[in-house]
Amino acid sequence: MVHGHSLLHVVASLLILGLSGATKKEAVKNNSGVKPAGQCGTWVKEGDGGLFTSPNYPSKYPPEVECVYIIEAPPRLCIDLFFDERYSIEPSWECKFDNIEVRDGPFGFSPIIGRYCGQTIPPFIRSSGRYLWIKFVSDAELEAIGFSANYNFTADPDFGDLGVPQPLPFCEFDMGGPEGIVESHQITRDGKALATEAVDCKWFIRAPPRSKIYLRFLDYEMQNSNECKRNFVAVYDGSASVEDLKNKFCSTVANDVMLVSTTGVIRMWADQGSRRSRFRILFTTFQEPPCEADAFFCHSNMCINNTLVCNGIQNCVYPWDENHCKEKRKANILDNLNNTNGTIIGVTCCIVLILLIVSVIVQIKQPRKKYILRREDFDPTMFQEVFEPPHYELCTLRSATHATAASADLVDLAEDFENYHALRRSSSRCVHDHHCGFASNPGSAHLSQLSLSGRGSRGNLSTREALLTDLPPQPVRPLLPSVATGNRRSILVMKHSYSQEAADNGCDLDDDLEEVPTTSHRLSRHEKAVQRSVSIDFQ
């Protein structure tokens, strides 16, 4: 019996060694794995499937054990799982104690397929995709022999119309350093695969000892979002084995990832119809505090290399390394300005501004160009108040050579002023009484009535002229002695005339009409000027 048992152990050992050799041989084709490795029974990997068992199978499994088995199939394949008939796990209500749990996917939060225990063999299981996640748990009491499971890879029905997949090109990259960029563009740029081929590429990032890796997505887009069978980006922490899978992104959003080991793996899978999927990741190696002398503290438990500070790229979780970087960034035009250049520019700007203000003021204060309207071109409709401006003649009383001629001119001048005051409005009557003393003249009332009744009416001009001719001649006041002397003044008189005789008195109307008053306030100003000039000469 002893020899029989010894022979049995030898055969079992050889079988295990042979299976181990097969595992190493097919390790590249079968990426399945278990955690913790070496403590969860036997795992045999083959190109088209494999076998795994609970610890110590077919003997009783140890207490307080937790093992996670993750099976990964090649692209466009799924997994079929079978349990051996020699199966026994401690029974319990709803399998709350010892149990084996199977999920459809690579993570512990993937959809659950079932939780099994007792003596009943679990049913046949087929995954919906490339992964199965299996966990075996035992408590501190009542152990049993456990389980043995076989799996194989079969064609995924979702890709049945595409036929047998073509062999995938070898696509791996090795990267290192304090920082670096991992991007999907490297696949075609480095000639790893054509733009029409399906790819399954891996980027291995090596960090220095006692370091960790921070991954920040700069760009991410999946051509077929939420179709993880067709395209995804996966992140592994420690190795490319499925048990080290950290995150898997195939939707519209990808989050930053913090790896705790010195090796990180980024994997991209895209079939022929998903090659426009892309990503771009910045990796930064860091250490935990306390920071060394040549390191920069990021205020988020990160110590990065000093060469990464103010390099224009955010290497910390928060942009501490890019704050206050004016003195280290590339100098621009503003940085090259010194005090002298700034002073010159400021003075020039001030001068230009002052000249601009002066030009605006000059334009505002500059008088507008006057337009002289001839009588035949005058259009009364241009004004809101319809009126015809009175006609003024500019005449000059020149010095007389003889005393008799001077007296005759002065008599005519007195008559003109008396007629002018008679035709004035109500306000002109006061001026007439002050200078000429017409208050005692019987014709004054008649003239006043005439001026009030026919004021401003051109239709009464003939009547006015007739009345003026019927008036008795008025006495002429004696002239001042200064008039009889040779030093006579030239008096500027504004002669008012509504008749045609004014145009025949020798004054050219068109030549002397340089500034014709067009408003009532100008007429009043000219009348006041005549009064002042007359008062000066008669005093």
Side-chain angles (χ1 to χ4, degrees), residues 375 378 387-393 420 425 456 458 461 464 494-498 509 513 515-520 522-524 526-527:
R375 174 175 294 181
F378 179 73
F387 69 97
E388 290 187 29
H391 177 65
Y392 288 86
E393 296 178 8
Y420 171 75
R425 298 178 181 180
R458 190 177 182 87
L461 291 178
R464 293 180 185 179
M494 300 297 295
K495 182 178 180 181
H496 188 120
S497 175
Y498 284 97
L509 298 179
L513 188 61
E515 292 186 4
V516 176
T518 58
T519 58
S520 59
R522 290 189 179 183
L523 177 61
S524 177
H526 284 296
E527 292 175 354

Side-chain angles (χ1 to χ4, degrees), residues 199-451:
V199 293
D200 189 6
C201 297
K202 299 182 181 69
W203 288 262
F204 293 88
I205 304 172
R206 319 287 182 181
R210 299 182 295 104
S211 297
K212 299 180 180 181
I213 303 173
Y214 169 57
L215 303 177
R216 186 163 69 91
F217 279 84
L218 305 178
D219 184 26
Y220 169 82
E221 182 180 358
M222 293 291 103
Q223 182 176 349
N224 296 289
S225 284
N226 299 316
E227 295 188 32
C228 297
K229 292 182 180 181
R230 303 194 61 182
N231 48 191
F232 66 81
V233 175
V235 178
Y236 298 82
D237 190 1
S239 70
S241 182
V242 68
E243 63 268 16
D244 292 325
L245 182 63
K246 182 81 172 182
N247 292 92
K248 182 180 178 183
F249 306 103
C250 59
S251 61
T252 58
V253 179
N255 302 321
D256 298 350
V257 182
M258 195 77 69
L259 306 181
V260 298
S261 64
T262 58
T263 301
V265 181
I266 300 173
R267 181 181 180 185
M268 177 183 179
W269 157 253
D271 61 14
Q272 293 92 329
S274 305
R275 283 303 308 275
R276 285 188 293 177
S277 300
R278 69 178 189 273
F279 73 92
R280 192 167 184 260
I281 299 176
L282 170 69
F283 73 86
T284 304
T285 60
F286 69 95
Q287 293 182 349
E288 292 183 348
C291 299
E292 298 179 356
D294 60 344
F296 175 81
F297 181 55
C298 285
H299 298 275
S300 55
N301 291 330
M302 292 178 61
C303 299
I304 64 174
N305 196 297
N306 268 331
T307 59
L308 305 181
V309 179
C310 296
N311 63 346
I313 301 175
Q314 177 185 332
N315 295 97
C316 299
V317 177
Y318 303 101
W320 296 103
D321 55 323
E322 298 302 319
N323 292 338
H324 312 292
C325 293
K326 180 179 179 180
E327 64 279 0
K328 293 187 177 182
R329 71 167 186 256
K330 185 178 180 180
N332 53 26
I333 298 176
L334 297 178
D335 296 333
N336 293 329
L337 292 178
N338 52 27
N339 294 333
T340 304
N341 296 335
T343 303
I344 295 173
I345 294 175
V347 171
T348 304
C349 293
C350 292
I351 293 174
V352 172
L353 182 61
I354 292 173
L355 293 176
L356 181 61
I357 295 174
V358 170
S359 64
V360 172
I361 295 175
V362 169
Q363 291 295 329
I364 294 175
K365 296 298 183 180
Q366 185 177 4
R368 294 184 177 87
K369 184 177 180 180
K370 294 182 179 180
Y371 295 92
I372 299 176
L373 294 177
R374 302 294 180 180
R375 174 175 294 181
E376 60 273 10
D377 298 333
F378 179 73
D379 186 6
T381 61
M382 296 174 58
F383 301 92
Q384 294 181 356
E385 181 182 0
V386 179
F387 69 97
E388 290 187 29
H391 177 65
Y392 288 86
E393 296 178 8
L394 184 64
C395 300
T396 304
L397 180 63
R398 297 175 175 84
S399 299
T401 57
H402 301 284
T404 57
S407 300
D409 293 339
L410 291 176
V411 169
D412 295 337
L413 178 63
E415 292 178 356
D416 292 338
F417 272 108
E418 288 171 359
N419 295 333
Y420 171 75
H421 288 297
L423 296 176
R424 286 291 304 276
R425 298 178 181 180
S426 60
S427 60
S428 65
R429 182 176 181 181
C430 298
V431 178
H432 175 271
D433 296 340
H434 177 73
H435 290 287
C436 301
F438 279 3
S440 60
N441 191 351
S444 300
H446 185 68
L447 290 173
S448 300
Q449 182 179 3
L450 177 62
S451 65

Side-chain angles (χ1 to χ4, degrees), residues 33-41 43 55 65-69 136 243-244:
V34 61
K35 296 175 69 174
Q39 303 178 22
C40 294
W43 188 295
V65 172
E66 179 175 317
C67 296
V68 176
Y69 310 86
F136 172 71
E243 63 268 16
D244 292 325

Side-chain angles (χ1 to χ4, degrees), residues 455-525:
R455 183 182 306 168
S457 175
R458 190 177 182 87
N460 297 328
L461 291 178
S462 59
T463 305
R464 293 180 185 179
E465 293 176 357
L467 291 175
L468 288 175
T469 55
D470 295 339
L471 290 176
Q474 301 297 330
V476 181
R477 296 181 62 181
L479 299 174
L480 295 175
S482 60
V483 177
T485 62
N487 298 329
R488 295 177 180 176
R489 299 180 182 178
S490 295
I491 302 174
L492 183 64
V493 179
M494 300 297 295
K495 182 178 180 181
H496 188 120
S497 175
Y498 284 97
S499 64
Q500 185 63 29
E501 296 176 0
D504 301 330
N505 288 336
C507 296
D508 192 353
L509 298 179
D510 294 332
D511 294 338
D512 296 334
L513 188 61
E514 292 183 357
E515 292 186 4
V516 176
T518 58
T519 58
S520 59
H521 72 276
R522 290 189 179 183
L523 177 61
S524 177
R525 185 168 63 249

